Amino acid sequence: MALIECIPNISEGRRQDVLDACASAIRATGVTLLDVKADASHNRTVYTFAGEREPVKAAALALFGQALQAIDLRTHSGEHPRLGAVDVVPFVPIEGVTMADCVALAKEVGAEVARRHHVPVYLYEEAASSPARRNLEDIRRGEFEGLAAKMTQDEWKPDFGPAAPHPSAGASVVGARMPLIAYNINLATNRLDVAKKIAAAIRQSSGGLRFVKAMGVELADRGIVQVSMNLTNYEKTPVFRVFELVKREAARYGVAVLESEVVGLIPSGALTASAAWYLQLDGFSDDQVLENKLRSSGIDDR
Amino acid sequence: MALIECIPNISEGRRQDVLDACASAIRATGVTLLDVKADASHNRTVYTFAGEREPVKAAALALFGQALQAIDLRTHSGEHPRLGAVDVVPFVPIEGVTMADCVALAKEVGAEVARRHHVPVYLYEEAASSPARRNLEDIRRGEFEGLAAKMTQDEWKPDFGPAAPHPSAGASVVGARMPLIAYNINLATNRLDVAKKIAAAIRQSSGGLRFVKAMGVELADRGIVQVSMNLTNYEKTPVFRVFELVKREAARYGVAVLESEVVGLIPSGALTASAAWYLQLDGFSDDQVLENKLRSSGIDDR
């Protein structure tokens, strides 16, 4: 089994008939639609779906087909920055699939979108064709309204499709990234300065762990503080290492860890890796997880 | 999703045509046949299969149908003790299902086997109708050959079916139990007495944790020793507590833990519970595991 998640963002958050048609187009391919978050003031909707490679590819393309005929950015307004009618489409490896597989899938979808719809496509994050195109914010700067001028520059030639915006659909950004884990650690103190110092110590931007974004916040109602984090690559910067480092930094200030929390979803691999590390499990393989074994295969015929 | 494992043992380990027919009968119900272990000297075969409740029930009944017409205990011999042609049938809760569900399933299957085949059925382990019937060994004592005499005693009236053995099939033992985890901890010492003292300290039989069986063994080729364990209920006696207690006992003798190992399979719940404990995860629910969420459901229609 190769399980891939896709979280496309489209530039429509108000017309329910359009959102329903997009959801139906996604579902018709056999993927599991996990979540739909429409925001009217952003005028933007985020779909989350997952499945095997081919259905996920079909669902992403079906969404393009449906959304591009319904959305015209020339009459679109909303609070959220956007470059395209289908704005951003990341593919995320979940199980039995590598990042390279998701990069390949992003390129296939990008090429096919350009071919079918004559929409220029930029590849981003792990699929980016150069370091300057890794960050979504850099690609999207100037938005739809500035896109025609931006695309006259050689450095903003798209990865696929015409070197000019699609009249109604602008351009789309397609790529691959690791799943995000929203992870918070609560401290047994009300000293916000301690939470902020720990956040600064552990986040990449100020010298800490590579795939950690962190800030210190106050939980006023409980009289405590929190180190609030996004872990952007749990394979390379695992949850247990983040937890242990925060605990160690907190001890430096005489502060104990009350508890930690996962906000939303966490891939099971992030938890089994933590269990294996703490239990010092030697030579442990994910194939030894009973449920994985059940899903991956029965025995050979005999 | 309600995932149940079933590990029936039948009294035939030599005639491949019979074993194949039983495997086919199991597979035809749509369950996943995970393993078949035939032992010619025991003259006994263990099937392992898993699936949703109804297919698992159908597979267990299909196996009875197939095995009872092929096996005659009056002409059966083998090293392993046995009471019935289909000897033991445990149901094990894996995911999205309680022990009570498996007990109910064991009772349904037991009643149906008695109705269809006029084979007496004893319920055991978690499904047992009295404490005296929890242990398989107590029910099986005397074996097929002693069964007619044993069943004349009031205390060995079966839970379902006639109060006398089936002529060719004897009696069957059906029940529900937790999955076993075979778990070993290797110590950085060659002192076998230390491993034995730790095993004695942590196992139930000599005063330790309720659902731990343990012994100290020597790994001569590596020049170290091991605490070798079976964990018979990982929900009530979790892996992390066993590991921490062994580590603490080892420290008492100035010995460090080298590593631990899982032999064979481990339910993912045993690992996520360990991760949650070490990471001090507050209010964590298995629904937050991305793969569980994917499998349990998509979003509601809207």
Side-chain angles (χ1 to χ4, degrees):
Chain A
M1 189 161 97
L3 196 55
I4 295 173
E5 190 182 36
C6 181
I7 311 106
N9 291 224
I10 69 168
S11 296
E12 174 60 58
R14 295 168 189 169
R15 291 177 293 163
Q16 194 58 46
D17 57 328
V18 173
L19 302 184
D20 289 346
C22 288
S24 298
I26 290 170
R27 277 208 192 91
T29 64
V31 299
T32 303
L33 183 58
L34 288 162
D35 194 40
V36 179
K37 280 212 171 56
D39 188 309
S41 63
H42 285 183
N43 202 2
R44 184 180 184 85
T45 298
V46 182
Y47 294 90
T48 304
F49 61 84
E52 303 262 352
R53 186 187 202 281
E54 290 310 310
V56 163
K57 178 178 173 182
L61 290 171
L63 175 66
F64 270 98
Q66 194 67 43
L68 292 183
Q69 72 181 40
I71 300 172
D72 188 338
L73 281 190
R74 289 169 294 195
T75 57
H76 176 274
S77 67
E79 287 170 19
H80 198 288
R82 78 282 178 270
L83 198 64
V86 176
D87 197 47
V88 192
V89 182
F91 295 97
V92 174
I94 301 298
E95 196 177 292
V97 62
T98 65
M99 182 56 79
D101 295 331
C102 285
V103 167
L105 177 58
K107 288 179 180 175
E108 280 177 38
V109 167
E112 185 63 18
V113 164
R115 195 187 67 77
R116 283 190 198 177
H117 305 292
H118 310 291
V119 170
V121 171
Y122 294 96
L123 296 170
Y124 86 122
E125 288 268 357
E126 298 291 326
S129 53
S130 79
R133 293 186 178 193
R134 283 192 73 93
N135 287 325
L136 177 61
E137 289 67 25
D138 296 332
I139 301 173
R140 203 159 53 190
R141 192 166 296 123
E143 295 197 47
F144 173 70
E145 288 71 14
L147 186 58
K150 183 171 186 169
M151 290 186 78
T152 62
Q153 306 169 44
D154 261 6
E155 63 185 286
W156 288 110
K157 191 172 169 300
D159 290 289
F160 300 105
H166 183 284
S168 60
S172 292
V173 186
V174 179
R177 62 165 172 79
M178 287 292 288
L180 292 181
I181 300 173
Y183 182 58
N184 300 327
I185 297 178
N186 294 338
L187 304 179
T189 180
N190 61 358
R191 293 164 56 196
L192 184 57
D193 65 310
V194 170
K196 287 186 169 180
K197 279 179 199 160
I198 295 174
I202 63 156
R203 69 183 167 226
Q204 180 194 25
S205 64
S206 46
L209 296 165
R210 168 80 181 272
F211 296 102
V212 174
K213 299 177 180 178
M215 59 182 180
V217 299
E218 195 173 3
L219 304 186
D221 54 327
R222 293 184 60 189
I224 61 174
V225 297
Q226 177 180 84
V227 182
S228 178
M229 292 169 282
N230 272 321
L231 310 185
T232 60
N233 186 330
Y234 70 88
E235 288 184 345
K236 292 182 176 164
T237 303
V239 182
F240 58 83
R241 193 159 296 135
V242 173
F243 178 76
E244 288 298 320
L245 188 55
V246 168
K247 193 159 66 172
R248 185 68 193 83
E249 292 290 324
R252 153 73 183 80
Y253 302 101
V255 168
V257 165
L258 272 182
E259 74 243 338
S260 74
E261 64 175 346
V262 171
V263 182
L265 299 178
I266 183 167
S268 71
L271 293 174
T272 54
S274 295
W277 190 82
Y278 285 108
L279 296 173
Q280 298 176 222
L281 276 179
D282 197 50
F284 185 74
S285 148
D286 280 344
D287 297 342
Q288 292 182 258
V289 178
L290 196 149
E291 288 86 343
N292 293 350
K293 165 96 176 170
L294 280 175
R295 275 164 205 130
S296 64
S297 67
I299 60 166
D300 299 334
D301 284 354
R302 48 172 156 169
Chain B
M1 189 163 96
L3 195 55
I4 296 173
E5 191 182 32
C6 181
I7 310 108
N9 292 224
I10 68 167
S11 296
E12 174 60 60
R14 295 171 188 166
R15 291 177 293 162
Q16 194 59 46
D17 57 326
V18 172
L19 301 185
D20 289 347
C22 288
S24 298
I26 290 169
R27 277 208 191 89
T29 62
V31 299
T32 304
L33 183 58
L34 288 162
D35 194 38
V36 180
K37 279 211 171 59
D39 188 309
S41 63
H42 286 184
N43 202 1
R44 184 180 183 87
T45 297
V46 181
Y47 295 90
T48 304
F49 61 85
E52 304 262 352
R53 186 188 202 283
E54 290 310 312
V56 163
K57 178 179 173 181
L61 290 171
L63 175 66
F64 269 97
Q66 194 67 43
L68 292 184
Q69 73 182 40
I71 300 172
D72 187 337
L73 282 190
R74 289 168 295 194
T75 57
H76 176 274
S77 66
E79 288 170 20
H80 199 287
R82 77 283 178 269
L83 199 63
V86 177
D87 197 47
V88 192
V89 182
F91 295 97
V92 174
I94 301 300
E95 197 178 292
V97 61
T98 64
M99 181 56 77
D101 296 332
C102 285
V103 167
L105 178 57
K107 290 179 178 173
E108 280 177 37
V109 168
E112 184 63 18
V113 164
R115 196 186 67 75
R116 283 192 198 177
H117 304 293
H118 310 291
V119 170
V121 171
Y122 293 96
L123 297 169
Y124 85 122
E125 288 269 354
E126 298 291 326
S129 54
S130 79
R133 295 186 178 193
R134 284 191 72 93
N135 286 325
L136 177 60
E137 290 68 25
D138 296 332
I139 301 173
R140 204 159 52 191
R141 191 165 297 124
E143 296 196 50
F144 174 70
E145 287 72 13
L147 187 58
K150 183 172 185 167
M151 290 185 78
T152 62
Q153 305 169 44
D154 261 7
E155 63 185 289
W156 289 110
K157 191 173 169 299
D159 291 289
F160 300 106
H166 183 282
S168 61
S172 292
V173 185
V174 178
R177 62 165 172 80
M178 287 292 286
L180 292 182
I181 300 173
Y183 182 60
N184 301 326
I185 297 178
N186 294 339
L187 304 179
T189 181
N190 61 359
R191 293 164 56 198
L192 184 57
D193 65 310
V194 170
K196 288 186 169 181
K197 279 179 199 159
I198 294 173
I202 63 157
R203 69 182 168 228
Q204 181 194 25
S205 64
S206 46
L209 295 164
R210 168 81 181 269
F211 295 103
V212 175
K213 297 174 181 182
M215 58 182 179
V217 298
E218 195 173 3
L219 304 185
D221 55 326
R222 294 184 61 188
I224 60 174
V225 297
Q226 177 180 82
V227 182
S228 179
M229 291 168 282
N230 273 320
L231 310 185
T232 58
N233 186 331
Y234 71 88
E235 289 185 344
K236 292 184 175 162
T237 303
V239 183
F240 58 82
R241 192 159 297 135
V242 172
F243 179 75
E244 289 298 320
L245 187 54
V246 168
K247 193 159 66 172
R248 186 68 192 85
E249 291 290 323
R252 153 74 183 79
Y253 302 101
V255 168
V257 166
L258 272 181
E259 73 244 339
S260 73
E261 64 174 346
V262 170
V263 181
L265 300 177
I266 183 169
S268 72
L271 292 173
T272 53
S274 295
W277 190 81
Y278 284 110
L279 296 172
Q280 297 176 225
L281 276 179
D282 197 51
F284 184 73
S285 146
D286 279 344
D287 296 342
Q288 291 182 260
V289 178
L290 197 149
E291 288 86 344
N292 292 349
K293 166 96 176 170
L294 279 175
R295 277 166 204 126
S296 64
S297 66
I299 59 167
D300 297 334
D301 284 351
R302 45 172 160 173

